[in-house]
Amino acid sequence: MSVPSPLPRSLTEEIEWLLSTPSVRETENKKMGAEILELLNTKSVMEQLMVEKFQSAGGSQLREFCSHKTKEQCRRERGSSKACGKLHFRRIIQIHTDESLGDCSFLNTCFHMETCKFVHYEIDNTTDEPKPVPRPLKTGKSTAPLSLQPRTKLVPPQWVNCDLRYFDVSVLGKFSVIMADPPWDIHMELPYGTMQDDEMRTMNISVLQDEGYLFLWITGRAMELARDCLTLWGYERVDELVWVKTNQLQRLIRTGRTGHWINHGKEHCLVGMKGNPPTNRCIDCDVIVAEVRETSHKPDELYGVIERLTPGTRKIELFGRAHNCQPNWMTLGNQLDGIHIIEPDIAASFWAKYPNGELDTMRPRPNFGPGPVRGVGQPPL
């Protein structure tokens, strides 16, 4: 059997080149695929407008943490007199701190920093060198940069210490958003007083709002009662948020303190709507996963959700405490520090109604027993 003689080298290479060269159809398909990918990666006009609307004034304020943790360690590792531009921590050394134990896993969120012997940390905002002072031009005009104009006018936090069952909330004007975390009577021993079901139904919520949203925190037992209250107050339930509770290790809470038959590891917040308020729809998710803190301390993430829903509007929180006081929010509750109203027209209306600031003289004093009453009853002394 004879073996065919090999083709000349030049002819073999030419055939291989012809076989490896893409056809006209393959070239067109590749070009079309590249164009489709470019179109998919290009933001639409709607997406660009949405980003511009909600981006932080002056650009993103997020900064990356340095892996060396402290500025001293960063300088040492870099062999430089200045630390890098990333974010650093500063060690908190107290009298009872035992440095040999190492770092506390909770950093600056430890609940027992006054007694915990581990080393804690806080954000180090110090600078390695002072910022240079801009010198004036020869024309005498200042070279100081103009401050960035905020996208929405922020009013500092305002609050009123009062009993919400008897306080005339109409003196505070109208609000676009109402949030409430009522002390529902859930037939369990609680560290605060509660309100009866009929007291909840007769609350004068409607006077606070012509149109807008109501965010109502509820518990399992009060689920149906809360829906009845929304209807009585003039709202339509349009949505619902769920807070999934985690511990400090970001693991689900499986041994909740509430629940008669099954341990509750979540809480619900009903969303009611009155009228047809202007809204930024479908920006956030209806599930919040956040860490549990002290009793009745709801996740701060909800404030961001509400602000993105109706940015720059007046908002009020009922049954709030000191940690609930936020810019653009009026907070009402009986565990707040006095009366703090900044808006001139609202202040004039309030002091005309209560010239002495005595909000507790128009009703009998109930006996709730020992312990603070959240949002109702006699204000703490």
Side-chain angles (χ1 to χ4, degrees), residues 210-227:
D210 292 331
E211 67 172 7
Y213 290 95
L214 170 61
F215 290 79
L216 185 63
W217 285 103
I218 57 175
T219 58
R221 181 258 165 191
M223 188 79 70
E224 299 304 322
L225 171 61
R227 294 174 186 268

Side-chain angles (χ1 to χ4, degrees), residues 306-321:
I306 294 175
E307 186 61 33
R308 289 185 289 272
L309 186 71
T310 58
T313 57
R314 294 189 76 224
K315 304 172 180 68
I316 186 169
E317 182 164 2
L318 310 180
F319 307 101
R321 292 180 288 176

Side-chain angles (χ1 to χ4, degrees), residues 92-298:
I92 301 176
I93 305 299
Q94 305 184 78
I95 298 177
H96 57 269
T97 302
D98 185 353
E99 297 186 51
S100 64
L101 296 177
D103 301 340
C104 178
S105 59
F106 299 119
L107 299 178
N108 64 335
T109 62
C110 179
F111 289 167
H112 309 287
M113 288 182 63
E114 66 278 1
T115 57
C116 181
K117 295 183 178 182
F118 289 86
V119 179
H120 299 87
Y121 290 82
E122 64 181 359
I123 299 296
D124 188 349
N125 291 316
T126 61
T127 56
D128 287 334
E129 57 184 10
K131 296 182 179 179
V133 179
R135 293 179 296 178
L137 295 174
K138 294 181 180 180
T139 57
K141 296 182 180 179
S142 173
T143 60
L146 295 175
S147 60
L148 292 172
Q149 296 296 325
R151 297 183 180 273
T152 56
K153 182 180 179 181
L154 290 180
V155 178
Q158 305 178 88
W159 60 85
V160 177
N161 187 326
C162 63
D163 186 330
L164 281 164
R165 296 173 301 176
Y166 304 97
F167 175 56
D168 183 8
V169 293
S170 64
V171 300
L172 301 177
K174 302 294 183 178
F175 298 86
S176 296
V177 175
I178 303 171
M179 181 161 65
D181 182 18
W184 303 102
D185 184 6
I186 60 174
H187 301 223
M188 292 180 65
E189 184 177 352
L190 297 169
Y192 51 80
T194 57
M195 289 179 63
Q196 300 298 318
D197 294 355
D198 289 339
E199 290 179 318
M200 291 300 308
R201 293 188 179 96
T202 56
M203 285 193 67
N204 193 13
I205 300 294
S206 59
V207 73
L208 289 169
Q209 202 171 58
D210 292 331
E211 67 172 7
Y213 290 95
L214 170 61
F215 290 79
L216 185 63
W217 285 103
I218 57 175
T219 58
R221 181 258 165 191
M223 188 79 70
E224 299 304 322
L225 171 61
R227 294 174 186 268
D228 292 342
C229 288
L230 283 179
T231 303
L232 291 172
W233 297 339
Y235 290 86
E236 175 190 1
R237 191 194 72 83
V238 295
D239 219 321
E240 181 175 334
L241 290 162
V242 177
W243 169 28
V244 178
K245 300 180 180 180
T246 64
N247 58 20
Q248 291 86 351
L249 299 177
Q250 304 306 307
R251 296 174 180 171
L252 291 179
I253 298 285
R254 301 185 183 278
T255 56
R257 291 171 292 180
T258 58
H260 293 283
W261 294 276
I262 301 176
N263 289 327
H264 291 176
K266 59 179 174 55
E267 287 193 33
H268 297 256
C269 181
L270 298 182
V271 182
M273 184 176 70
K274 178 193 289 188
N276 187 26
T279 307
N280 293 319
R281 297 176 182 269
C282 301
I283 294 178
D284 287 283
C285 177
D286 61 351
V287 177
I288 296 176
V289 181
E291 182 181 322
V292 171
R293 290 170 287 188
E294 62 265 25
T295 302
S296 297
H297 193 155
K298 298 302 188 287

